[in-house]
Amino acid sequence: MKIALIGRGRVATHLGKALLQAGHKVVSVNSRTLAELPQDADAYIIAVKDSALQEVICKVTKGRESSLFLHTAGSMPLSVFDGYTRHGGVLYPMQTFSMEREVDFREIPLFIEASDAESLQQIRTLADGISQHVYELSTADRRYLHLAAVFACNFVNHCYTLAADVLAQKGLPFDVMLPLVDETARKVHELSPKAAQTGPAIRGDQNVMKAQAALLDTPERTIYELLSKSIQEHL
């Protein structure tokens, strides 16, 4: 397929590489200014931040209403294409991307949705060519998937930041946490997250929890107390 990518960020960069490796022709890579957008692409994939998506759709679909248009956002509905094109769809790669790290796109779960059967088939073919894990998922259900990803990735990563700050106070590098971080991640490949949970909260060790909370300032203390309470409520 001839594909036009709109976006120059992390998702667009890694997706573009995967498409090229799968044998597709990426005929253009545009920023949201859409300076040189071709008219004859088979699919236009929009990978921009959520707040800019509607504006970009409005611009990119003009004169191309019969083409296939996809967005890559986990939290945005399929309905953003309503009134702009008859062939809209979603191609959401559930992964965290960084410019500095390569990923194996074949292992990334892709969640797809389409406005019509013809578009769904095109998206399915495209997705199957770059990932071994493709799932159809509605907008309503994708909201919950994206929410779960925020807990499993973004919030966890912020906890790493808080841990790094605590260590830095005593001149310790975050590297000392890496074996613990790696083993924690490995365990949930074999155990449920609930079964893998350890620490003072699940043991009900109130003395340790009070002493640790006292070492923290607000809002970190509040985060510690809320997370400890949540762990105990999930016993």
Side-chain angles (χ1 to χ4, degrees), residues 54 58 105 109 143 228:
Q54 196 74 70
C58 181
F105 221 94
R143 291 186 306 162
S228 296

Side-chain angles (χ1 to χ4, degrees), residues 17-132:
K17 291 178 181 178
L19 291 167
L20 288 171
Q21 289 172 358
H24 297 287
K25 185 176 181 181
V26 179
V27 294
S28 73
V29 179
N30 275 265
S31 66
R32 42 190 289 199
T33 58
L34 307 176
E36 297 178 1
L37 193 64
Q39 291 285 342
D40 60 345
D42 297 313
Y44 297 82
I45 301 178
I46 306 169
V48 298
K49 63 182 182 179
D50 293 0
S51 60
L53 183 57
Q54 196 74 70
E55 176 188 355
V56 171
I57 289 172
C58 181
K59 292 179 179 179
V60 75
T61 52
K62 287 182 178 178
R64 306 178 181 90
E65 290 81 1
S66 61
S67 298
L68 176 63
F69 294 90
L70 310 177
H71 76 65
T72 62
S75 59
M76 296 299 286
L78 175 64
S79 61
V80 292
F81 291 109
D82 289 354
Y84 296 102
T85 178
R86 299 189 302 276
H87 304 294
V90 178
L91 182 71
Y92 169 49
M94 196 184 67
Q95 181 58 282
T96 177
F97 295 103
S98 298
M99 291 295 194
E100 302 83 3
R101 288 183 58 81
E102 294 298 323
V103 296
D104 182 358
F105 221 94
R106 297 288 298 166
E107 296 301 320
I108 296 175
L110 287 181
F111 295 87
I112 64 174
E113 187 181 12
S115 57
D116 61 281
E118 179 185 351
S119 298
L120 182 61
Q121 183 56 52
Q122 287 181 281
I123 299 168
R124 164 67 73 172
T125 300
L126 182 67
D128 283 342
I130 59 176
S131 173
Q132 297 174 345

Side-chain angles (χ1 to χ4, degrees), residues 102-216:
E102 294 298 323
V103 296
D104 182 358
F105 221 94
R106 297 288 298 166
E107 296 301 320
I108 296 175
L110 287 181
F111 295 87
I112 64 174
E113 187 181 12
S115 57
D116 61 281
E118 179 185 351
S119 298
L120 182 61
Q121 183 56 52
Q122 287 181 281
I123 299 168
R124 164 67 73 172
T125 300
L126 182 67
D128 283 342
I130 59 176
S131 173
Q132 297 174 345
H133 311 282
V134 179
Y135 309 89
E136 292 181 33
L137 196 68
S138 69
T139 288
D141 290 342
R142 187 162 27 86
R143 291 186 306 162
Y144 289 92
L145 177 74
H146 190 256
L147 173 60
V150 169
F151 273 103
C153 175
N154 308 129
F155 288 170
V156 169
N157 195 75
H158 182 62
C159 286
Y160 296 159
T161 300
L162 298 183
D165 290 345
V166 170
L167 292 168
Q169 292 175 23
K170 298 303 176 182
L172 293 169
F174 183 72
D175 288 1
V176 301
M177 291 287 111
L178 294 180
L180 176 64
V181 168
D182 292 343
E183 176 59 17
T184 302
R186 280 194 293 265
K187 281 203 296 186
V188 294
H189 283 264
E190 302 175 7
L191 303 173
S192 71
K194 184 175 180 179
Q197 186 69 57
T198 60
I202 199 168
R203 295 195 302 266
D205 197 334
Q206 296 297 327
N207 289 336
V208 172
M209 288 190 288
K210 287 180 181 178
Q212 290 185 338
L215 296 175
L216 298 167

